[in-house]
Amino acid sequence: MTNEKDATFLAQIGNHKDPYTGAISAPIHLSTTYAHPSLGQSTGFDYTRTKNPTRSILEEALAKLEAGSLAVATSSGMAAIQLVLGLFPQGAHILAGRDLYGGSYRYFNFLEEQGSASFAYFDSQEEFEHLLAAVPEVTAVFLETPTNPLMHLFDIKQIAAQTHARGGQLIVDNTFLTPLRQKPLTLGADFVVHSGTKFLSGHNDLLAGVAVAKSPEDGERLAWLANTTGGTLAPFDSWLFIRSLKTLALRLDRQEENARSLAEKLTAFPQVTEVLYPGSGGMISLRVTDPDKIPAFLEKLQLFTFAESLGGVESLVTYPTTQTHGDIPVAVREAYGLTPDLLRLSIGIEEGADLLADLQQALEIFPKAAQR
Ligand SMILES: Cc1ncc(COP(=O)(O)O)c(C=O)c1O
């Protein structure tokens, strides 16, 4: 369950922000430019790429929720990742959890091919420690926890301490759990990134990202680079993000309640060989008995929609092998457990019994395992 302070804070975002009208829903400031009272003076707003009143309300709220010094709202989750990695120098040595969103992996690969940075991947705490000891230099560590789609959990506190001991900084992609379930900056991480497209906005109608810095110095660098490179979020999208955040606690509590119950029930299905649920949040992965029957399973589903993405109020099913993780070479992904029998479910806010009934009727397509 969401703690009451976060729930209250979320519901009130943007209220009391317009002294002229008392508007409870924050105004959308579309103006790209702002009058200067006189030479050398500013209202605090000059040009929307740099700072926009609607986006500022959103960014201040996100910084507070993640316990950071400053947040930048970006045009997508990938833009947020690019922004944070952009802070590191040419030739940066980055260690990354291997099981991560395929788009992040694709970007890291591109950086490596370009010669901008080098990446080494780890699957477990032991492998991380092994790598730390083996590499001559560590600029940064990039982590998803739980990982996507295998739901491994890493100990942020321990990894942050070990990263800092080698002079590096820790970046955590907090898309899956949101700050309502995990605040990586309070555990020692230096940066948090999000695909705001997922749980934070939650309605499958907004593409957005968030980058948050812990220290004021890093916050200043982040804001400088965001202004310089220009991937900041538009005013209307910032307003839509604020509007969506107000119900995040309600949505996530319900998604989690549904997911927890489904994860438990799915383990009893003879067509399901493994259920991967990290214990909180709204994401479940599962393995089925016969990958060849997956196309028929996807067609049989009536409530779950076969689509890429996650975190919205509508339940979705994703096939990582061809969708979100299709750009990872087959040998690489299969070696770490992303095999063709794996499906990923994003649980929505529908009635839990309806979701279970839909899965139950569609799972019938798979043969039953002889023994569990
Ligand atoms: C964990 C994670 N991080 C980052 C991203 C990228 O976000 P966006 O699609 O908003 O660019 C995604 C997208 O699926 C994701 O799942």
Side-chain angles (χ1 to χ4, degrees), residues 179-247:
L180 300 195
R181 294 294 181 274
Q182 169 174 279
K183 295 184 196 285
L185 301 182
T186 66
L187 301 171
D190 302 283
F191 296 96
V192 159
V193 290
H194 279 276
S195 170
T197 318
K198 315 299 190 220
F199 288 97
L200 292 183
S201 66
H203 292 74
N204 290 315
D205 57 9
L206 171 67
L207 189 76
V210 185
V212 192
K214 171 78 180 165
S215 76
E217 301 74 41
D218 283 334
E220 214 169 286
R221 293 165 67 223
L222 204 61
W224 182 88
L225 192 59
N227 178 46
T228 300
T229 53
T232 45
L233 194 65
F236 180 78
D237 288 356
S238 298
W239 176 83
L240 194 53
F241 203 151
I242 292 169
R243 206 273 301 262
S244 305
L245 275 178
K246 287 169 177 276
T247 57

Side-chain angles (χ1 to χ4, degrees), residues 24-333:
I24 286 166
S25 170
I28 307 174
H29 289 273
L30 292 172
S31 188
T32 52
T33 189
Y34 300 85
H36 291 228
S38 63
L39 195 65
Q41 286 196 346
S42 162
T43 58
F45 297 97
D46 304 313
Y47 187 60
T48 272
R49 166 158 41 76
T50 321
K51 198 171 171 194
N52 169 278
T54 311
R55 195 172 70 239
S56 288
I57 292 170
L58 171 67
E59 291 174 336
E60 281 164 23
L62 290 166
K64 196 148 183 221
L65 274 170
E66 282 288 11
S69 67
L70 181 136
V72 175
T74 56
S75 56
S76 70
M78 288 316 300
I81 292 171
Q82 186 188 24
L83 182 65
V84 172
L85 291 195
L87 293 175
F88 297 104
Q90 180 81 9
H93 298 282
I94 302 177
L95 307 186
R98 193 188 315 268
D99 182 29
L100 41 81
Y101 168 56
S104 304
Y105 178 85
R106 179 174 57 203
Y107 179 53
F108 296 171
N109 239 13
F110 169 74
L111 289 177
E112 188 146 63
E113 280 168 16
Q114 239 190 3
S116 311
S118 69
F119 288 83
Y121 295 90
F122 58 91
D123 277 323
S124 61
Q125 178 66 32
E126 297 74 57
E127 263 190 49
F128 172 67
E129 287 170 15
H130 184 75
L131 266 182
L132 264 193
V135 295
E137 214 181 305
V138 180
T139 315
V141 174
F142 186 98
L143 201 63
E144 283 181 21
T145 178
T147 63
N148 176 11
L150 297 179
M151 312 291 173
H152 293 316
L153 293 170
F154 284 102
D155 183 335
I156 295 175
K157 219 177 197 168
Q158 191 175 1
I159 290 194
Q162 290 168 323
T163 303
H164 293 156
R166 289 294 314 272
Q169 289 195 296
L170 177 62
I171 308 157
V172 176
D173 183 332
N174 204 23
T175 299
F176 266 36
L177 285 187
T178 87
L180 300 195
R181 294 294 181 274
Q182 169 174 279
K183 295 184 196 285
L185 301 182
T186 66
L187 301 171
D190 302 283
F191 296 96
V192 159
V193 290
H194 279 276
S195 170
T197 318
K198 315 299 190 220
F199 288 97
L200 292 183
S201 66
H203 292 74
N204 290 315
D205 57 9
L206 171 67
L207 189 76
V210 185
V212 192
K214 171 78 180 165
S215 76
E217 301 74 41
D218 283 334
E220 214 169 286
R221 293 165 67 223
L222 204 61
W224 182 88
L225 192 59
N227 178 46
T228 300
T229 53
T232 45
L233 194 65
F236 180 78
D237 288 356
S238 298
W239 176 83
L240 194 53
F241 203 151
I242 292 169
R243 206 273 301 262
S244 305
L245 275 178
K246 287 169 177 276
T247 57
L248 174 61
L250 283 174
R251 288 186 279 108
L252 190 63
D253 286 355
R254 168 80 170 191
Q255 286 170 289
E256 183 173 72
E257 184 190 325
N258 276 345
R260 206 173 263 160
S261 159
L262 279 175
E264 196 188 307
K265 297 197 166 93
L266 281 168
T267 55
F269 278 67
Q271 302 92 344
V272 175
T273 56
E274 192 179 11
V275 177
L276 307 167
Y277 181 63
S280 59
M283 299 300 297
I284 304 173
S285 289
L286 53 101
R287 297 186 194 278
V288 289
T289 47
D290 183 0
D292 292 342
K293 296 251 164 30
I294 284 177
F297 168 76
L298 296 172
E299 280 179 31
K300 228 168 168 267
L301 286 168
Q302 285 165 10
L303 251 186
F304 278 84
T305 305
F306 174 43
E308 267 179 77
S309 204
L310 60 104
V313 294
E314 305 90 352
S315 291
L316 303 183
V317 56
T318 297
Y319 189 46
T321 289
T322 60
Q323 293 182 304
T324 47
H325 295 69
D327 278 343
I328 303 177
V330 181
V332 172
R333 61 175 131 90

